[in-house]
Structures are given as structure tokens and as C-alpha cells.
Amino acid sequence: RKEVEQDPGPFNVPEGATVAFNCTYSNSASQSFFWYRQDCRKEPKLLMSVYSSGNEDGRFTAQLNRASQYISLLIRDSKLSDSATYLCVVNQVATTDKLIFGTGTRLQVFP
Amino acid sequence: DAGVIQSPRHEVTEMGQEVTLRCKPISGHNSLFWYRQTMMRGLELLIYFNNNVPIDDSGMPEDRFSAKMPNASFSTLKIQPSEPRDSAVYFCASTLDRNTEAFFGQGTRLTVV
């Protein structure tokens, strides 16, 4: 089983739609969680950290479910500029400093 | 700060040749990571360093790959001999500390023919 798993998509949604991505992780000792965004032929960049209590940043909401070992990202009111690949990232801080990336979920927002 | 700097941006080489990729992390960052990205396998962690010491190299695919970090401001990833299946984008990233954001370089696009 992969350490971090994501649905590769693509998710094709119209502007204004709400879309959600899930990500599961295998190591219950994982301590830190992030969502990164990667545009085509660019490097990944941090979108937001994921806190135990859940957190929101504008149109983006991240949730963590430790019991089921998954994190989610919700995007409301999708914009064309949201089209990108969204990478789920897990840091197993308790055992190592490893930053493990999922393979990413591709989002395409159309007019 | 200029961010994480990688060189070269693009590299085309013939099979069997030695390839050296370079990375300068953000000044003051304590951890440095080398990743390889392909369409099929996504972003794979090859090796990471903490305070210039290799901590985990379990992702290095085989003995043809080696990485060094002689000081806090420089790291190399070497492939010798290179093979066509090594073609990928290689990213270097650095972090200040645990639980903090990883900043990536722009990557080196390697093509082995």
C-alpha cells in the first residue's frame, strides 16, 4: 500500500462549482499534513497546512480525520485559475523528517 | 532571498554518461530533499539531509545514484551511468524546520537518450 494515496482525477468542474479531494495515509504516526498545488511544468508550492481542528483559507477548507487516516480539501466557488494538480503531503515527524507526497489530483475548471 | 536554486534547468545526455544536478537551498534551512517526478510515479523522495547529514536514502533507486551535501549551502545528486529510464524532473526542496513549508527549486528536466 502506498504511504499517501490520492485519486488522480482529473476532476472537470464548471466555474463556481464546489469540489472536494480526499487523501489517505498509511502511517498512523504521521504528524503533519499539507496540501500543495502544482501548475503544469512548475514546482509544487504550499497551498495550506492541515490542522487537527480543520482550517479555512478563503475558498479553501482542509480537514483532517485521524481515526480514518485521511485528509480532505474543499474548494468552493471554483475559478479557472484553480486548475492545477493538488498534492497531499504527509510528514512523519515522529519517526523521521520525511515529506511524502501523494501522486496528486488534477483539477480542470472550465468556463 | 532567491529561493532554492537548481542547475541546470535542462539536461540532455546520452546513455552511459555521468549527470550531476546541483542545488542551493534557502539560507538557514536545515533540511534538504531530493525528489524525482514522472507522470507514472509522481513525486518520489530520493534522499533527504538534515544539517548536511543524509538521514534517509531509502528512495535512491540504485547504486547509480548518489547524493552529497558538503556544506549547508550546496548539494549534488549524481547519476553514473545514466539510463533512459532516469529521464524525469528532479526537484530539490528545503525546509527551515519540521512542520514547516517546503520550498522547491524550479527543477532540472533530465532527458537521457
Side-chain angles (χ1 to χ4, degrees), chain A residues 17-37:
Chain A
T18 295
V19 61
F21 309 135
N22 284 334
C23 164
T24 59
Y25 59 95
S26 61
N27 191 332
S28 59
S30 300
Q31 297 291 313
S32 304
F33 310 90
F34 309 89
W35 283 101
Y36 278 68
R37 170 189 168 134

Side-chain angles (χ1 to χ4, degrees), chain A residues 2 31-34 36 38 41-47 49 85 87 89 91 93-103, chain B residues 9-10 31 33 35 37 40-43 45 48 50 55-56 58 91 95 97-107 109:
Chain A
K2 288 184 179 179
Q31 297 291 313
S32 304
F33 310 90
F34 309 89
Y36 278 68
Q38 186 174 24
R41 302 181 81 84
K42 298 285 189 179
E43 71 275 21
K45 293 184 178 178
L46 179 68
L47 177 67
S49 301
T85 297
L87 301 160
V89 185
N91 187 340
V93 174
T95 54
T96 71
D97 269 346
K98 275 185 173 181
L99 277 175
I100 305 297
F101 281 73
T103 52
Chain B
R9 291 289 308 280
H10 302 274
S31 292
F33 304 79
Y35 289 90
Q37 187 173 39
M40 293 298 295
R41 301 171 70 92
L43 261 172
L45 177 63
Y48 82 92
N50 185 257
I55 303 299
D56 189 327
S58 59
F91 286 105
T95 62
D97 205 344
R98 294 176 172 180
N99 294 326
T100 61
E101 178 179 359
F103 291 85
F104 282 76
Q106 292 182 301
R109 185 171 296 274

